[in-house]
Amino acid sequence: MQVIKILVVGCGNMGASHAKAYHHLDGFEIVGLVARGDSKHKLNTELGADYALFELYEEALEKTKPDAVCIATYPDTHKDYAIKAFESGAHVFIEKPLAEDVTSAEEVVSAAIKYNKKLVVGYILRYHPSWMKFIELSKTMGKPLVMRMNLNQQSHGYMWNVHRNLMSSLSPIVDCGVHYIDVMCQMVGVKPVRVSAIGARLTDDIPDWNYNYGQLQLHFEDGSVGWYEAGWGPMVSQNAFFVKDVFGPKGSVSIVADKASNEGKSDSVAAHTQTESLRVHYADLDANNEFVKKDEWVNLADEPDHQELCNREQRFFRQAILEDIDLSSSMEDAVNSLRIALACDEAVKTKQTVLL
């Protein structure tokens, strides 16, 4: 079996999850963990391992000479780290968003093409069977579609530290919104033509140019519309924090995640990918305007947890490298979803609708 030597950069939430995947999956060998704080030591202990530890990325890259690099740091480092990895001859798995601005994202993609290396972006929902089914069923509901999604997080403790650090460079609707913009674009299959958005700054713990609550609206060329809402912080309400549904002329499809919506779980990373059940509703009426069909419940036997989703991402990353899979479409999608999210961010700050 061909073993891929991988360097893990960033040992927080997602970095730790990806490191666990590499540690346990066949076909990977971790050659180093990179982080500026104590997280790399904690991760080594948690894994029961003795991997080489580094403070500086460039030193780690030079000393370990990896086949691939996993970048799970804050977005403001993504461009620099990814391009240096490509230049060194390594493939790259990178957490979303691809970069902190569109130009940087395009430069990362260009570097992947220039050096003929694989670039996989961590759009974790693309590997989730229930989300794949959710998108598939949405396409049977006719056009236009109305898509409604949110993920508000009453973050505190460790997660509030994570969110405050993220907001030094990006807003919640950009950082998380790229996932759900990507989902909406898959559902409708056409381009959005304009965006609008609102935002509010509810704490002095973040830069004065940023906001910790935002809601964006997408308008597509076929008349479909969608909104996404994200708020981070100890003040955020947990009422209706997890909404994922879509409806069209023929009916609706909704993710019903009772356990994931339990009190106190809004900032749980593990709960964010839970679906549990899909409810399918049909709009057909009889002569008395009563529904012809009962709602259907779709419960997929394959319901991976957060760690298993990370495992699947990394299995695909390995497959893409070994089988030379063409990733042009997914790279384009990653740039596109970031472009749309940043346009929404512009709409918040200018208080204007932005044409795409």
Side-chain angles (χ1 to χ4, degrees), residues 124 128 270 273-274 303-312:
I124 197 168
H128 198 305
T273 53
Q274 290 179 7
E303 177 68 17
D305 62 16
H306 182 265
Q307 183 57 52
E308 174 56 22
L309 287 172
C310 291
N311 296 348
R312 294 183 187 196

Side-chain angles (χ1 to χ4, degrees), residues 79-140:
K79 170 190 164 183
D80 183 43
Y81 286 4
I83 291 176
K84 286 180 178 177
F86 292 135
E87 289 173 342
S88 75
H91 304 280
V92 170
F93 178 92
I94 194 166
E95 264 305 323
K96 58 79 196 166
L98 178 52
E100 61 178 348
D101 58 69
V102 175
T103 300
S104 296
E106 291 174 335
E107 289 178 9
V108 172
V109 170
S110 295
I113 295 170
K114 176 182 177 180
Y115 292 99
N116 193 29
K117 295 300 174 182
K118 299 304 176 185
L119 171 64
V120 173
V121 185
Y123 280 68
I124 197 168
L125 299 181
R126 287 190 168 211
Y127 302 85
H128 198 305
S130 293
W131 276 87
M132 294 162 65
K133 188 68 173 179
F134 182 41
I135 293 169
E136 175 190 331
L137 290 170
S138 74
K139 296 178 180 179
T140 69

